[in-house]
Amino acid sequence: MTVQKAVLSVFVVVLLTACGASAQQEAAPAARPHNVILFISDGCGPASFTLARTYLTDVLGGEGLAVDGVQVGAVRTRSADSRVTDSAAGATAFACGIKTNNGALAVDPDGKPHTTVLEAAEARGMATGLVVTSTITHATPAAFAAHVPSRGMTAEIATQEIAQGIEVLFGGGTMDFLPAEAGGSRTDGRNLFDEARRAGYQIVRSRAEFDAELRAPVLGLFAPGHMAYEIDRDPAREPSLAEMMRKAIDLLKDDPDGFFLMVEGSRIDHAAHGNDAAAHLHDILAFDEAVAAALDFARADGQTLIVSTSDHETGGLTLGRNIDGMGVYAWRPEALEPIKHSNGALWERLTAGGGLAQTLEEETGIRLAALAAPRRASLVEAYEDRDAHAFFRAYNEVVSRKAILGWTTSGHTGVDVNLYAFGPGRARFVGNHDNTEIGRLLADLLGLEL
Ligand SMILES: [Mg+2]
Ligand SMILES: [Zn+2]
């Protein structure tokens, strides 16, 4: 070995040692979270976040979405049996870290139950909560607290949910907790509110009870079925998602073992199924308000990991579209501003007797007389036939053309969805992940065995 070569090899060894040391520092175990808040924006794809952000900044003059400050990557959404997942398989991936078939909840494709991150958290003594705007028995919350082969088994899901020892359950869906004799949908005669009360739960059924003093465990259900869309919500009757989440955090945060809380913007998905742009938009804004409040808590707390993602995209929303065969390089969020209600609530008002033209203009800013003849005719005919389905096909097209946006399906799509994270463990979420990795990462960071 020549002197030059020897010097060079010493230099290389020093260099490698230095690199090794810094790689080791990077690989050193990051801080682990004491608490986890998992947000799920059901059916909210990347275009939907663009819609909400642009409306917030360009129409309302706001700063932008809270989630935008903490975006770290994307999530692949396919299920075991389809490239287009449903919410049951999507939530099972987050809850259990496994792929299952569409429709199945916390069981694998062979029907074998798998432990959920919520159950593992409970078993370790952590406090847990589920906060949603759908029925509490709907697919997303159910995947964390029930094991059934089919998401339609909502009476069984309710039974399993109240037996898990969950500290906070907030959402809609009293029907699944009451027997038919008491106005519910249960056919087994059981009254799960009575059973939960005997097991120690505080039962909350109204806004007034929600505003009074709460204690854990608490079962708070505010509607027979789903809670209202944010655009229709009467604050005197139902709390917002952010209000429910703040109360949940207050009830969970003092557990010395930490807490796991899942918060779902459930009806972002339902509005997208209905191609109802305004209802979709306002539920996303309500979701982002909840994330903003959770980020405030996490920044002050310093030991809470926040992860937010969607189970899938719904509606195939596009911003910009063809109008009369020509691609338009624009879209107009301001077209959604005059719309006061969701499609369903609009239909109630349209059929209450005020007349089509007047009610439509008051409720949506759309002037019937100003519409092109074929679109006006479709609206009038569907209205006179009292055919809500046909009416909304025509109405959604009118709104979409005004806003220059488009919907490609009334179902789900297979695109990747956004991923957001903040707090201890955040770095593990950077990148493009399979949906099952989200569940496994949460369990790993909390030191839980799934
Ligand atoms: Mg859902
Ligand atoms: Zn859906």
Side-chain angles (χ1 to χ4, degrees), residues 43-53 268 280 284 313-314 317 319:
C44 196
S48 298
F49 280 108
T50 308
L51 169 76
R53 177 198 312 123
I268 296 168
H280 185 61
I284 301 166
E313 197 268 1
T314 303
L317 178 66
L319 306 174

Side-chain angles (χ1 to χ4, degrees), residues 10-298:
V10 166
F11 176 73
V12 167
V13 166
V14 168
L15 193 68
L16 285 174
T17 309
C19 290
S22 86
Q24 256 169 13
Q25 271 162 11
E26 277 168 28
R32 284 177 181 276
H34 186 59
N35 312 309
V36 167
I37 305 176
L38 173 62
F39 281 92
I40 300 177
S41 44
D42 196 319
C44 196
S48 298
F49 280 108
T50 308
L51 169 76
R53 177 198 312 123
T54 311
Y55 187 85
L56 199 54
T57 57
D58 295 10
V59 179
L60 301 182
E63 293 278 303
L65 296 172
V67 286
D68 283 339
V70 295
Q71 187 163 1
V72 292
V75 174
R76 308 169 194 186
T77 63
R78 67 162 299 161
S79 68
D81 65 343
S82 177
R83 292 193 184 91
V84 177
T85 190
D86 85 322
S87 291
T92 298
F94 301 146
C96 307
I98 61 158
K99 290 279 187 211
T100 195
N101 294 339
N102 286 0
L105 289 169
V107 299
D108 64 23
D110 298 324
K112 184 172 155 274
H114 283 246
T115 304
T116 74
V117 63
L118 180 144
E119 290 170 323
E122 273 293 332
R124 236 249 326 264
M126 296 176 75
T128 63
L130 297 172
V131 173
V132 304
T133 51
S134 63
T135 58
I136 196 75
T137 53
H138 211 248
T140 309
F144 289 83
H147 305 269
V148 290
S150 167
R151 58 185 286 174
M153 301 165 66
T154 56
E156 171 61 21
I157 290 166
T159 310
Q160 292 189 28
E161 282 180 335
I162 60 159
Q164 293 274 16
I166 300 167
E167 276 71 13
V168 179
L169 290 162
F170 285 153
T174 60
M175 295 287 281
D176 285 319
F177 290 73
L178 290 169
E181 307 87 85
S185 58
R186 296 189 72 86
T187 54
D188 60 5
R190 289 170 70 174
N191 183 323
L192 296 190
F193 285 118
D194 288 346
E195 293 183 26
R197 195 179 285 108
R198 281 198 293 277
Y201 272 94
Q202 178 185 11
I203 306 296
V204 172
R205 300 276 303 271
S206 68
R207 175 80 212 211
E209 287 169 354
F210 177 81
D211 290 338
E213 195 162 337
L214 299 181
R215 59 158 180 83
V218 58
L219 170 62
L221 301 183
F222 304 97
H226 302 312
M227 294 177 71
Y229 284 119
E230 180 62 23
I231 195 173
D232 300 328
R233 186 174 63 86
D234 175 358
R237 298 177 67 88
E238 293 183 11
S240 70
L241 185 66
E243 288 173 324
M244 293 194 289
M245 186 207 67
R246 279 196 206 94
K247 290 253 186 179
I249 291 175
D250 278 345
L251 291 165
L252 300 173
K253 69 180 177 5
D254 295 327
D255 192 300
D257 299 303
F259 70 81
F260 173 82
L261 172 63
M262 194 284 289
V263 181
E264 186 197 22
S266 317
R267 307 206 67 203
I268 296 168
D269 171 71
H270 300 165
H273 278 286
N275 293 178
D276 182 343
H280 185 61
L281 163 69
H282 288 280
D283 264 44
I284 301 166
L285 295 176
F287 176 82
D288 191 65
E289 190 190 323
V291 174
L295 286 170
D296 286 345
F297 170 80

